[in-house]
Amino acid sequence: MDEIEKKICAVIDKHRDELIAFGEDLWLHAELGFQEHRTAGKFANQMKSLGLRTEESLAVTGVKSYLKDSADGPTVCLMGEFDGLPIPTHPHANPETGAAHCCGHHAQATGVVGAAIALCDPEIAEALDGNVVFFGVPAEEYVEIEKRNKMRQQGLIRYGCGKCELLRIGAMDDLDIVVGHHASTSKQYLVANRSCNGFVTKMVQFHGRAAHAAGEPERGIDAMNAANIAMHAVDVQRESFRDGDTVRVHACISKGGDAPNIIADDVRLEYSIRGKTIPAYQDAARKVDRAMHAGAVATGCGLTITNLPGNLPIVPVKDASVVEEALQLICGDTPVTCTGPEFHSTSSGDYGDVSCIMPLLQFNTGGFRGTLHSPDVELTDLDDAYIVPAKVFALIAYKLLKNGGNRAKAIIDSFEAVLTKEQYLKLMEGMLSVDEMEMKLLPALE
């Protein structure tokens, strides 16, 4: 390490107890996406206590702080997510919200706070030839889809995830590079420069006609039957998905029948359709539409499909060596794993939207055990969970912006955007649509 890198680590170590307390507080008070008001308030207060110019309520709960009021050179954004998952059975779930941090987003936010504390040191800040933005962002997890659709109808949001909204409202227009972190349930230091699936979301509602299921079933039109046929129709098409497209289609019944002796008149499904490329998941989505129509036609039910944009596939950068170098400085004897552009993950996230417009650097660290997105996720190492991410965030920013910001400029110059912002918004708007079919009554019911 050079002297600045040593000082970055020393400053963060000095604030170790404070950072762990901050992270543990978030761990016990998880909130769901676009509702992270307590989390956002704590993050904003930390930034303001450092004297940073801070913008709040971006995409409802986003918080954006600037290291410098102005600076020549690139702007590097250190980004941490705020939201938890709806897992009320987790031992440390927030009883007020039913949310739990089973994906480690509280550790990301803590890491960004720790990096801000270090980079605000006058000597360290002076060594940065550019600016740093510390961004706490909402709603990475695409859950509570009906609630988010209602927020969309109320004009509170337009898209379902936080970074998509931040791109839409222009809150990321002044950023040049984004750095993101992910928690891991193994002690693994990882350069996560890999591609990732994108997806779209569908809210499906079958409209039936209620009747006594035992006494007069012929007078009803069963929305549950329509849903069963539709879901089976999706299953029989799975062999038509090409292996190379890594298509994933998964659903849940968000509303079933009211009672077994009542013909269901309102049954609702939620679908996520994922794929390696935009054309791949759009093709799969059309097959899902056909299946939903088949269920409605077969039973005579009415049908409403509300199509909502999800996230775009992640686009790797050409050179992520700066992340590997930062990890190697603090990983000790633990090896650093690098996933390059040849590696593909079938998971999705709204960092994909960011990566289509500007360079994205990502890293993983440990500190947890269990299976992510499940009730058995627990903290195992407080330093790995909170302190290591803070150091890596700060070291990456320093490495990118020292010596005139040459490393940052090289990444920016080599980046080939998949979409302009205008093209991105056009694509997202094109995914917002409603498809409806009327109920078809047979003569006996008419």
Side-chain angles (χ1 to χ4, degrees):
M1 291 189 184
D2 66 22
E3 293 306 311
I4 295 295
E5 290 166 340
K6 291 177 183 177
K7 188 169 188 180
I8 285 172
C9 293
V11 171
I12 292 171
D13 285 336
K14 182 179 179 180
H15 291 268
R16 175 184 180 274
D17 292 346
E18 174 189 343
L19 289 170
I20 289 175
F22 181 88
E24 290 293 271
D25 181 77
L26 297 189
W27 170 249
L28 297 174
H29 296 89
E31 299 170 296
L32 295 174
F34 294 122
Q35 302 163 68
E36 315 98 322
H37 299 287
R38 182 184 185 279
T39 303
K42 286 185 66 67
F43 186 92
N45 287 341
Q46 286 283 336
M47 296 298 138
K48 292 175 185 176
S49 72
L50 296 170
L52 302 183
R53 175 166 63 91
T54 299
E55 301 173 5
E56 299 179 69
S57 302
L58 300 171
V60 186
T61 52
V63 180
K64 180 182 183 182
S65 299
Y66 294 83
L67 178 63
K68 303 175 181 180
D69 289 332
S70 62
D72 294 328
T75 296
V76 173
C77 173
L78 307 183
M79 188 170 282
E81 295 153 351
F82 284 160
D83 58 325
L85 285 158
I87 304 181
T89 56
H90 189 274
H92 299 293
N94 184 341
E96 295 183 6
T97 65
H101 276 301
C102 297
C103 207
H105 290 179
H106 69 297
Q108 299 174 10
T110 304
V112 173
V113 169
I117 291 171
L119 298 179
C120 280
D121 177 89
E123 182 184 9
I124 296 172
E126 181 65 25
L128 305 177
D129 296 316
N131 209 348
V132 181
V133 164
F134 309 100
F135 217 144
V137 302
E140 188 273 336
E141 306 289 355
Y142 205 155
V143 296
E144 295 191 304
I145 296 172
E146 287 196 11
K147 178 179 284 189
R148 293 192 188 181
N149 192 45
K150 288 180 181 178
M151 293 179 69
R152 184 180 67 84
Q153 293 168 343
Q154 295 166 352
L156 298 174
I157 60 174
R158 184 71 178 163
Y159 307 141
C161 287
K163 299 181 194 70
C164 310
E165 275 293 286
L166 293 168
L167 287 167
R168 181 184 70 85
I169 66 175
M172 297 180 69
D173 286 354
D174 59 351
L175 308 181
D176 295 308
I177 296 175
V178 171
V179 182
H181 165 250
H182 301 277
S184 172
T185 53
S186 61
K187 189 176 178 64
Q188 182 181 45
Y189 299 139
L190 175 72
V191 181
N193 188 38
R194 75 282 190 271
S195 61
C196 194
N197 273 3
F199 77 98
V200 292
T201 292
K202 294 181 181 291
M203 296 171 53
V204 180
Q205 183 176 13
F206 290 102
H207 311 280
R209 178 169 171 171
H212 195 301
E216 295 182 300
E218 72 280 1
R219 296 187 61 81
I221 299 179
D222 198 332
M224 182 60 75
N225 284 344
N228 285 332
I229 292 168
M231 288 187 289
H232 179 64
V234 171
D235 288 340
V236 300
Q237 293 185 86
R238 292 185 187 275
E239 67 180 14
S240 72
F241 301 145
R242 298 183 303 186
D243 293 344
D245 288 335
T246 62
V247 171
R248 300 289 187 273
V249 178
H250 40 106
C252 70
I253 300 174
S254 56
K255 185 180 188 300
D258 296 317
N261 63 345
I262 302 173
I263 298 293
D265 62 352
D266 181 6
V267 173
R268 305 180 191 185
L269 311 176
E270 293 178 4
Y271 267 91
S272 287
I273 301 102
R274 305 177 191 267
K276 188 173 185 178
T277 65
I278 295 171
Y281 63 73
Q282 288 180 333
D283 176 77
R286 285 189 287 268
K287 293 176 181 178
V288 171
D289 287 341
R290 291 191 319 206
M292 300 302 109
H293 281 259
V297 169
T299 58
C301 281
L303 171 66
T304 302
I305 303 175
T306 302
N307 298 295
L308 302 169
N311 301 147
L312 302 188
I314 285 180
V315 180
V317 296
K318 295 180 179 178
D319 179 11
S321 58
V322 65
V323 179
E324 181 179 6
E325 292 169 16
L327 285 167
Q328 286 176 333
L329 288 178
I330 52 86
C331 71
D333 295 331
T334 304
V336 174
T337 303
C338 299
T339 58
E342 73 283 353
F343 182 84
H344 180 76
S345 168
T346 54
S347 62
S348 306
D350 57 0
Y351 272 124
D353 299 64
V354 175
S355 74
C356 288
I357 297 174
M358 65 188 72
L360 170 69
L361 300 172
Q362 298 186 92
F363 67 96
N364 290 22
T365 61
F368 297 83
R369 65 169 172 82
T371 303
L372 293 178
H373 287 226
S374 77
D376 67 354
V377 172
E378 289 289 349
L379 283 153
T380 58
D381 187 319
L382 297 179
D383 286 280
D384 256 4
Y386 303 130
I387 307 307
V388 169
K391 292 178 179 179
V392 177
F393 266 129
L395 290 169
I396 290 173
Y398 169 64
K399 286 180 174 295
L400 287 171
L401 293 177
K402 69 177 182 177
N403 299 329
N406 289 339
R407 296 287 291 276
K409 291 174 182 177
I411 291 172
I412 295 165
D413 291 343
S414 67
F415 178 72
E416 298 175 4
V418 174
L419 300 167
T420 64
K421 180 184 173 182
E422 292 71 24
Q423 291 169 333
Y424 170 73
L425 295 176
K426 183 178 180 180
L427 175 66
M428 296 291 278
E429 291 297 313
M431 296 181 191
L432 280 169
S433 64
V434 178
D435 179 9
E436 295 185 289
M437 286 180 60
E438 293 184 0
M439 186 183 298
K440 300 290 185 181
L441 298 178
L442 294 175
L445 286 180
E446 290 176 342

